[in-house]
């Protein structure tokens, strides 16, 4: 007889995994890790500095200890090394903005069943401040890219390339790192006007304003300018349906000169669409958040590139922390 005695426990642990998620989200939102910083503080002091209830704060801090994010010494709490590195706002490797972006998605994910029934995204019932949501997303993407770019950018050969298009480049992190690594390169960030202030401030902070400009536009409607000899599309396609992806890739190809290089960075599914796990789950994230977005397979992206006149398409060896990958091709 088959023994499934451990299966209920595994399923219940999976079902309740959001408890840990919500614990982390609450601690980041209340900035508890930043309050503790390099100190050892009692729960009452953390609560006082965070304008929170002492008893409830102690319960939250104890749970964070159980999760391995804090250490308790007598009646005081300290950050672990990882918490100090990634969860304190004064750390250059802070990931709290992306955690808050995830927090803003929780309500929609809790109604995933509705999205599956209707095939439409979920409109949140709770009114999150739009400026806070935008800041969390932009800063989250900036910090993630800042962590990835130093490893990824050197793997891409842009020798002889002088004009880069960073399509949907947001805060400009990738354009900045491509220009830092390739002294001959100038870049154009193409994104919505709402992104311009953050991008220009970031570029100026790296003293690259003379080499990186910002063009405001909607990549569905507006021309990209050019010609460019390299185009970088990082995490653009998953927000769009297949037809819009084909149009975006075609427009990008039209903005490239002959021999220009197209580089696509995406969460890439296996052809079965059942792996890797993160891109498979990310498709559901796009289901609840967008009208037609999804993760795509390598074959699907390759076909879109080929249809746009891109050839010699290669997948690089790069694998990102969330199973992102790189496809590179050349315009005929």
């Amino acid at each position: 007889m088959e023994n499934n005695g451990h299966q209920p426990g595994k399923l219940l642990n999976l079902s309740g995994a959001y408890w840990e998620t919500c614990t982390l989200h609450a601690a980041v939102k209340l900035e508890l890790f930043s309050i503790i910083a390099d100190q050892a503080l009692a729960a009452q002091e953390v609560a006082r500095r965070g304008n929170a209830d002492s008893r409830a704060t102690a319960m939250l801090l104890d749970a964070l200890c159980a999760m391995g994010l804090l250490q308790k010494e007598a009646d005081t709490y300290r950050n672990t090394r990882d918490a100090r590195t990634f969860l304190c706002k004064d750390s250059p490797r802070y990931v709290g903005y992306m955690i808050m972006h995830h927090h803003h998605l929780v309500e929609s994910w809790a109604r995933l069943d509705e999205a599956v029934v209707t095939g439409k995204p979920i409109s949140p019932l709770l009114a999150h401040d739009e400026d806070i949501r935008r800041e969390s997303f932009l800063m989250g993407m900036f910090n993630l890219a800042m962590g990835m770019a130093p490893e990824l950018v050197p793997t891409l050969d842009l020798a002889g390339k002088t004009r880069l298009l960073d399509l949907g480049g947001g805060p400009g992190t990738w354009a900045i790192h491509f220009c830092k690594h390739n002294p001959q390169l100038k870049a154009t960030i193409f994104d919505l006007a709402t992104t311009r202030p953050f991008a220009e401030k970031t570029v100026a902070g790296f003293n690259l304003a003379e080499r990186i400009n910002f063009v405001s536009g909607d990549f569905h409607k507006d021309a990209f300018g050019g010609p460019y000899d390299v185009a970088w599309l990082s995490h653009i396609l998953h927000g769009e349906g297949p037809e819009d992806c084909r149009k975006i890739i075609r427009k990008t190809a039209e903005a490239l000169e002959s021999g220009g290089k197209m580089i696509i960075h995406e969460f890439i599914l296996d052809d079965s669409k059942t792996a890797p796990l993160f891109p498979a789950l990310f498709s559901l994230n796009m289901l609840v958040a967008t009208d037609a977005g999804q993760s795509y397979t390598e074959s699907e992206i390759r076909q879109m590139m080929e249809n746009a006149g891109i050839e010699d398409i290669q997948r690089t060896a790069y694998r990102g922390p969330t199973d992102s990958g790189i496809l590179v091709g050349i315009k005929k």
Side-chain angles (χ1 to χ4, degrees):
M1 180 180 296
E2 186 177 0
N3 183 0
N4 290 321
H6 296 296
Q7 190 64 17
K10 180 179 178 181
L11 291 173
L12 292 175
N13 286 337
L14 180 61
S15 177
Y18 72 94
W19 292 7
E20 290 192 57
T21 299
C22 291
T23 300
L24 174 60
H25 288 186
V28 171
K29 187 173 184 179
L30 295 170
E31 300 186 4
L32 299 190
F33 301 104
S34 299
I35 288 171
I36 294 171
D38 295 315
Q39 307 158 90
L41 297 180
Q44 293 87 343
E45 180 60 16
V46 176
R48 185 189 69 79
R49 297 187 189 186
N51 297 313
D53 178 80
S54 292
R55 171 178 171 270
T57 299
M59 295 169 69
L60 179 54
L61 295 173
D62 286 337
L64 293 167
C65 288
M67 291 165 60
L69 296 174
L70 294 178
Q71 295 171 336
K72 191 173 185 179
E73 302 166 356
D75 292 326
T76 63
Y77 300 86
R78 282 190 177 276
N79 281 311
T80 62
R81 184 174 61 181
D82 279 352
R84 185 67 185 92
T85 302
F86 299 112
L87 298 174
C88 292
K89 272 191 158 181
D90 64 354
S91 170
R93 301 180 71 186
Y94 180 66
V95 297
Y97 288 109
M98 184 53 67
I99 290 172
M100 289 313 301
H101 172 60
H102 293 161
H103 173 67
H104 296 145
L105 295 172
V106 167
E107 183 194 354
S108 296
W109 266 89
R111 297 163 58 196
L112 174 61
D113 58 310
E114 296 177 35
V116 172
V117 170
T118 65
K120 299 183 182 301
I122 300 297
S123 298
L125 298 174
L126 299 177
H128 293 295
D129 186 287
E130 191 59 35
D131 289 338
I132 293 175
R133 292 173 67 98
R134 184 181 295 113
E135 179 191 43
S136 296
F137 178 71
L138 288 176
M139 286 298 297
M141 294 302 294
F142 172 73
N143 288 346
L144 280 181
M146 284 294 288
M148 296 167 62
E151 176 187 354
L152 192 159
V153 167
T155 70
L156 298 168
D157 181 10
L158 298 190
K161 304 301 182 186
T162 60
R163 300 177 307 283
L164 178 138
L165 169 65
D166 185 358
L167 187 64
T173 323
W174 292 107
I176 289 166
H177 280 273
F178 278 119
C179 285
K180 284 181 63 180
H181 191 71
N182 298 275
Q184 82 288 355
L185 196 65
K186 291 188 176 181
T188 294
I189 303 165
F190 185 98
D191 211 329
L192 297 174
T194 51
T195 310
R196 180 190 285 270
F198 184 33
E200 291 185 340
K201 179 180 178 182
T202 306
V203 169
F206 282 86
N207 297 315
L208 287 168
E210 293 185 359
R211 293 174 57 198
I212 301 176
N213 70 309
F214 188 99
V215 173
S216 299
D218 180 337
F219 51 56
H220 293 292
K221 303 174 183 177
D222 302 316
F224 300 161
Y228 305 97
D229 54 12
V230 59
W232 169 254
L233 288 74
S234 180
H235 295 315
I236 298 298
L237 302 183
H238 64 235
E240 311 296 335
E243 184 54 36
D244 280 336
C245 286
R246 284 189 280 271
K247 291 178 181 177
I248 290 166
I249 290 176
R250 190 178 306 119
K251 283 181 67 175
T252 303
E254 290 169 356
L256 282 173
E257 62 185 25
S258 180
K261 183 173 290 189
M262 181 182 292
I263 309 172
I264 294 180
H265 177 217
E266 266 299 342
F267 304 122
I268 302 178
L269 283 165
D270 294 349
D271 285 345
S272 69
K273 297 191 176 183
T274 62
L277 176 60
F278 188 90
L281 291 174
F282 199 84
S283 266
L284 294 178
N285 190 47
M286 292 296 94
L287 174 65
V288 300
T290 69
D291 290 327
Q294 63 182 73
S295 298
Y296 292 94
T297 67
E298 180 176 335
S299 296
E300 288 171 330
I301 298 173
R302 280 177 175 274
Q303 188 64 56
M304 293 176 191
M305 295 173 75
E306 289 171 358
N307 290 347
I310 304 299
E311 57 187 15
D312 297 329
I313 300 168
Q314 304 291 329
R315 183 165 181 178
T316 74
Y318 177 79
R319 292 293 183 276
T322 47
D323 290 307
S324 63
I326 302 282
L327 288 171
V328 181
I330 306 297
K331 181 179 177 179
K332 296 178 182 176

